[in-house]
Amino acid sequence: MRIVLLGSPGAGKGTQAKVISKKFDIPHISTGDILRHEIKGGSELGKKAAGFVESGKLVPDGIIIEIIKNEISRGRSKNGFLMDGFPRNLEQAVMFSDLLEQLGISLDNVININVSKEEIIDRLSRRRICSVCKGVFSIGGKNKEPEKCPKCNGDLIERKDDKKEVIKHRLDVYESETRPLIDFYAGKGLLVNIDGSGEEKEITKRILEVL
Ligand code: AMP
């Protein structure tokens, strides 16, 4: 099973990807997670990517395509993969199609998770990551704000690119660069739209129904 998850930042791609990749026993390939890992580790790749990621800009396509080539040539991707956050613009999508063709494989589904802009801004500004277990949590809202990770008691931190001014830029980048992929994959007959509002479990159910 080879799947691409599309959707704006904060649409819930990462959360859904974790459940679906487990269910189908395929690797969850998140270019954002890979880049954050490289940045944290201080690698050459991380140094090149840091400024782009922290300001909400897209990392150059050449860097991203190398990451993807590397990931899909690994043995763990032989039964499929789930892409989260890639492709992010038309150039990447075309390079990805060419790469898959060279490998003699094709995508099964492109799932587009739709959430309103108001809900996205609310979700991203409340999103916190556990510095220890990397779990993703939402602060504020109806419940009392958790100061520590409810799972492992680690400190909850805000991603640098979830700060208000960067969120706005990321959403603009999504509109101009990534949204056109919806038409690109619809034209290939691969696109399925999913309503991404509501409870996580409900959204998973909607996705599983179409896979
Ligand atoms: P994400 O975790 O998917 O929201 O990605 C966080 C940041 O990593 C983005 O704002 C970009 O700076 C960078 N990034 C992730 N995936 C890509 C990609 N496919 N192309 C370019 N930049 C990316």
Side-chain angles (χ1 to χ4, degrees):
M1 178 86 80
R2 298 185 190 91
I3 310 168
V4 166
L5 272 190
L6 289 183
S8 143
K13 298 188 297 297
T15 308
Q16 295 301 326
K18 284 191 183 79
V19 185
I20 297 162
S21 60
K22 203 166 167 199
K23 172 118 187 139
F24 291 99
D25 193 23
I26 49 175
H28 166 200
I29 301 176
S30 156
T31 39
D33 283 350
I34 294 171
L35 291 167
R36 280 184 288 278
H37 178 78
E38 295 290 333
I39 294 170
K40 201 165 175 217
S43 70
E44 278 310 306
L45 195 162
K47 283 181 196 149
K48 280 188 206 154
F52 295 99
V53 174
E54 282 158 19
S55 59
K57 296 197 175 82
L58 291 187
V59 171
D61 295 338
I63 296 181
I64 299 292
I65 287 294
E66 281 313 306
I67 294 177
I68 294 297
K69 273 188 188 158
N70 202 15
E71 287 293 326
I72 56 179
S73 61
R74 289 166 72 172
R76 67 183 193 125
S77 295
K78 75 173 187 307
N79 293 327
F81 49 71
L82 193 164
M83 293 293 170
D84 160 16
F86 173 86
R88 207 65 162 233
N89 59 24
L90 278 175
E91 290 76 11
Q92 292 182 11
V94 171
M95 286 194 255
F96 189 39
S97 292
D98 292 348
L99 178 64
L100 295 178
E101 204 179 316
Q102 279 166 27
L103 295 170
I105 53 182
S106 53
L107 293 175
D108 295 297
N109 285 98
V110 177
I111 308 278
N112 179 40
I113 306 181
N114 285 303
V115 180
S116 73
K117 199 163 177 179
E118 295 70 42
E119 193 169 342
I120 291 286
I121 294 175
D122 180 57
R123 283 187 194 179
L124 288 177
S125 55
R126 294 196 290 118
R127 177 161 76 177
R128 295 293 181 276
I129 315 288
C130 172
S131 57
V132 180
C133 73
K134 309 292 173 217
V136 182
F137 302 96
S138 185
I139 62 161
K142 283 185 219 135
N143 306 322
K144 191 175 168 289
E145 191 165 305
E147 287 163 20
K148 295 279 183 184
C149 171
K151 284 196 180 146
C152 75
N153 211 34
D155 288 332
L156 293 181
I157 49 174
E158 184 178 34
R159 269 172 53 171
K160 283 192 184 154
D161 59 349
D162 278 347
K163 296 199 186 304
K164 227 180 186 160
E165 37 321 335
V166 186
I167 290 177
K168 188 183 170 311
H169 183 66
R170 288 168 67 207
L171 293 178
D172 289 346
V173 169
Y174 169 76
E175 288 299 329
S176 61
E177 301 276 322
T178 313
R179 192 183 271 285
L181 297 183
I182 296 175
D183 285 344
F184 177 83
Y185 284 117
K188 289 181 176 283
L190 288 169
L191 192 86
V192 183
N193 281 299
I194 294 286
D195 172 8
S197 59
E199 296 284 318
E200 274 172 35
K201 284 205 171 107
E202 195 47 47
I203 302 162
T204 307
K205 213 170 125 204
R206 288 176 204 146
I207 297 176
L208 291 176
E209 272 165 15
V210 301
L211 288 178

